[in-house]
Amino acid sequence: MIGSQAILGSVPNPPAELVQSAEADLFPRHHPERADLIDGAIGEATLFNETFGYYAHAVSPEMALAPAGWLDRLVAFKTEATRGATGWCIEPHDLVLAKAAAGRSKDFRFLHAAIGARIVDPRILLERLPTLPPDRAVVGPIRTRPSPPRSQPGVRFKALEPCTADRAPGRVSSSPADTDA
């Protein structure tokens, strides 16, 4: 999962600002030929969408304007609800930078909410920033938008304390290449 809903793979109860979308962007990494099945079975305007109020949209990994190495940092998501299957979600720092690279106002709201909730560490964002795809002019927007939305006065991008180990999402030790999901 590479869209905003991927935050759920690392943060069980994220702030509401981070889970506004009814769309989950998915790509079948090991079976790209199954992309049409995703849209047809659980996509927009399907019975699944009408029943559950959300839907999946099949995408390609190239759609993620994420930092270099993001596929190696995917976070495993496996619960009883996945019935033994493991889904892989883009790691929160990579997700936030991909949202920033997309550059829409909703993406910057996502970035500020993730920083404000200390889900991501600004130092890691700045460390990975230079590895974004070269055709994305993101350095300026990130450095010139240090303040979160007005709903969080007084919190500044550079002034946030680092994430602590118990607040920052961890990495999984197994490789995403080892699964079928």
Side-chain angles (χ1 to χ4, degrees):
M1 186 179 311
I2 62 173
S4 60
Q5 297 305 315
I7 198 72
L8 294 165
S10 298
V11 183
N13 297 302
E17 301 90 352
L18 300 180
V19 288
Q20 297 294 312
S21 179
E23 176 182 42
D25 294 321
L26 308 175
F27 72 93
R29 183 174 188 190
H30 299 292
H31 301 284
E33 72 279 2
R34 296 182 184 170
D36 288 341
L37 295 174
I38 291 172
D39 284 334
I42 59 175
E44 190 172 17
T46 61
L47 180 59
F48 180 91
N49 181 202
E50 292 174 18
T51 303
F52 297 103
Y54 62 94
Y55 61 94
H57 179 239
V59 297
S60 70
E62 292 77 28
M63 289 187 68
L65 304 171
W70 72 273
L71 284 168
D72 298 326
R73 293 186 292 270
L74 292 172
V75 177
F77 180 77
K78 186 175 183 178
T79 68
E80 286 183 23
T82 65
R83 296 184 281 172
T86 300
W88 294 94
C89 299
I90 190 170
E91 189 271 340
H93 294 89
D94 293 332
L95 172 59
V96 165
L97 286 171
K99 300 292 270 173
R104 302 168 295 199
S105 60
K106 69 178 185 174
D107 298 317
F108 282 106
R109 287 193 301 272
F110 188 96
L111 176 143
H112 290 301
I115 291 171
R118 295 195 173 143
I119 291 169
V120 295
D121 184 332
R123 292 178 301 183
I124 294 172
L125 295 176
L126 291 172
E127 187 178 288
R128 292 184 190 169
L129 186 62
T131 70
L132 281 169
D135 62 331
R136 303 308 297 184
V138 181
V139 176
I142 287 181
R143 293 188 189 276
T144 60
R145 293 178 185 243
S147 300
R150 293 192 196 289
S151 63
Q152 299 176 31
V155 178
R156 305 233 3 124
F157 183 85
K158 293 181 180 179
L160 289 176
E161 295 175 20
C163 294
T164 59
D166 60 330
R167 300 275 317 247
R171 292 190 183 139
V172 287
S173 57
S174 61
S175 168
D178 297 334
T179 67
D180 293 327

